[in-house]
Amino acid sequence: MKSKFKGYYKPLPEDFAKIWDDCIFVFDTNVLYDFYRYSDDTVDLLFTIFEKIKDKIWIPHWVGIEYHRGLEDRIREQVGKYSDAIKDLNSFSEKIKTQREHPFLSVELQKEIEEFYVKFNQELTTQKSKLKNLIIENPVKERIADLIGENIGDSLTKEEEEQIVKIGDERLSNNIPPGYVDYKVKKSRPGLDKYGDYIIWQQILKEAKAKKKSFIFVTFDTKEDWYKIIKFNRTDIRIGPRPELAEEFLAIDGCSLWLYPTPEFIEYAVKHLNIEVDASRLVKVKQETALPLDNNTNSECASEIKNENENIGDISAISIGATSSNSSEASGT
């Protein structure tokens, strides 16, 4: 049974260990943006993990395009969120300062609130300033580039572009994964942007055929066109990659594929790579990375709406150098 329907079965714990020891790690665009989205503690841990596996990292060329083209917008978005938070904090502080509006508050408590306000405001202002500086000088971007090096796929050829358009429209219109969820939102756009996830998938398959290795794809994108999701008591349970994707991968000389959302990837990486992390810090990191993207300072959903009329278009000739939810049942634990 399993030999005929391998895509429907989760690897055993010992299989995960083997995959991690001899696989290629692929990171989606949204994971590269995590370095600008999360707290210093989480970013430091992500960099530690990347350092440990840097010789096994590979990035599809389309991920590199998306990352570089959207980076400044993502930073500006996050700066805007900090500005909004500072305005809200100032408004709250002004209300509290008006003693007549809050006669029930003691002087001591108002003093504590004021001290908290000053500290919180300073932290928000500092973080906002740091983010604004990244527009001009970006050491995070440089460090990511150094870690990935030249481990990037080739750009699309004209022939491949034609195939993407020809096959992509038919495939994605008929809900064949991956990529049909985004395609439905973006299909009226000109250019290749609407095929983004499908292009990434095709570039991963091409690399797998060349390298004959198993792949781990890390993405915060946990939509139904990447994962098999079962609805149970009004809850979505994600149980692994779509069987169609897993079997398409297994057809490549027995190569296997596994998908991790960011929090589960971090959790398993810490364990498998023997990274020493304080338990309380790991809990904080898992909580932070498990938040929906639109609850974070930088919102992927907001970015999608903001850039609704933007498109990447015909950019296969662009030369890019060194670049580039959430049940635990899908993790290799």
Side-chain angles (χ1 to χ4, degrees):
M1 179 73 82
K2 289 184 180 180
S3 63
K4 298 293 185 182
F5 300 96
K6 289 182 180 179
Y8 289 85
Y9 291 88
K10 178 180 177 180
L12 298 172
E14 56 268 28
D15 296 326
F16 276 115
K18 291 177 182 177
I19 291 171
W20 272 71
D21 286 338
D22 189 33
C23 74
I24 292 175
F25 291 94
V26 182
F27 294 96
D28 201 358
T29 314
N30 50 56
V31 179
L32 298 184
Y33 288 146
D34 284 346
F35 288 92
Y36 306 89
R37 190 182 345 251
Y38 296 132
S39 66
D40 290 344
D41 268 356
T42 299
V43 170
D44 287 345
L45 183 53
L46 277 171
F47 270 128
T48 298
I49 293 170
F50 269 53
E51 290 280 1
K52 291 272 189 179
I53 62 173
K54 64 181 181 180
D55 293 334
K56 298 194 288 185
I57 293 175
W58 178 83
I59 300 296
H61 192 269
W62 196 260
V63 167
I65 289 175
E66 290 182 338
Y67 168 69
H68 285 92
R69 288 212 154 205
L71 183 56
E72 282 74 21
D73 281 342
R74 295 306 171 99
I75 294 173
R76 280 194 293 266
E77 228 174 69
Q78 195 163 351
V79 170
K81 293 291 184 179
Y82 276 107
S83 296
D84 291 343
I86 291 170
K87 288 178 183 177
D88 291 341
L89 184 64
N90 288 338
S91 176
F92 173 76
S93 177
E94 288 301 317
K95 289 180 181 179
I96 293 298
K97 284 178 182 177
T98 308
Q99 175 71 26
R100 285 175 298 178
E101 292 183 12
H102 303 282
F104 51 85
L105 292 181
S106 67
V107 174
E108 291 77 12
L109 182 55
Q110 288 201 52
K111 183 178 179 181
E112 288 182 19
I113 292 173
E114 181 64 21
E115 289 174 350
F116 167 78
Y117 159 76
V118 171
K119 185 177 181 180
F120 195 13
N121 188 57
Q122 287 176 344
E123 178 66 17
L124 287 172
T125 303
T126 298
Q127 293 301 323
K128 176 184 173 182
S129 179
K130 285 170 62 177
L131 280 167
K132 286 179 69 175
N133 289 338
L134 291 180
I135 297 288
I136 302 169
E137 187 171 350
N138 195 333
V140 175
K141 178 182 175 183
E142 294 296 327
R143 189 173 177 186
I144 292 172
D146 289 341
L147 283 170
I148 295 174
E150 299 303 320
N151 297 323
I152 306 165
D154 296 329
S155 60
L156 292 170
T157 64
K158 282 295 180 184
E159 182 180 352
E160 287 171 333
E161 282 186 14
E162 292 170 2
Q163 286 295 104
I164 290 293
V165 173
K166 179 180 178 181
I167 299 174
D169 282 331
E170 181 178 355
R171 174 172 172 146
L172 301 177
S173 295
N174 288 288
N175 292 346
I176 300 176
Y180 65 78
V181 173
D182 282 352
Y183 177 79
K184 291 176 181 177
V185 176
K186 304 176 182 179
K187 63 182 179 181
S188 62
R189 299 182 186 183
L192 300 176
D193 187 30
K194 54 180 168 282
Y195 308 106
D197 282 358
Y198 176 58
I199 293 173
I200 290 171
W201 177 243
Q202 289 301 313
Q203 291 183 331
I204 290 174
L205 288 176
K206 181 179 178 181
E207 185 71 5
K209 291 173 182 176
K211 296 292 177 63
K212 299 292 192 295
K213 283 181 174 286
S214 295
F215 276 59
I216 286 177
F217 183 44
V218 185
T219 175
F220 209 114
D221 193 348
T222 53
K223 298 191 294 287
E224 67 178 39
D225 56 345
W226 283 106
Y227 286 91
K228 182 179 180 182
I229 298 174
I230 304 297
K231 293 188 179 298
F232 183 77
N233 289 341
R234 299 181 181 178
T235 301
D236 288 345
I237 300 177
R238 178 175 38 75
I239 59 177
R242 286 283 294 255
E244 305 97 310
L245 303 183
E247 293 191 339
E248 191 172 357
F249 221 86
L250 286 164
I252 305 172
D253 237 10
C255 296
S256 60
L257 168 77
W258 196 254
L259 272 58
Y260 284 97
T262 308
E264 293 169 13
F265 168 73
I266 290 175
E267 181 179 16
Y268 194 78
V270 166
K271 182 186 301 183
H272 185 78
L273 301 173
N274 297 315
I275 298 173
E276 292 187 10
V277 183
D278 181 81
S280 60
R281 179 188 174 199
L282 186 58
V283 168
K284 176 186 172 185
V285 168
K286 287 173 62 178
Q287 290 174 340
E288 184 179 4
T289 55
L291 290 172
L293 292 177
D294 55 348
N295 279 357
N296 281 283
T297 307
N298 189 1
S299 164
E300 183 132 25
C301 296
S303 178
E304 181 60 33
I305 294 171
K306 176 182 177 183
N307 298 319
E308 181 65 30
N309 295 318
E310 296 178 5
N311 67 86
I312 292 176
D314 183 5
I315 52 176
S316 63
I318 292 177
S319 174
I320 294 198
T323 67
S324 82
S325 60
N326 300 328
S327 159
S328 63
E329 292 181 25
S331 70
T333 54

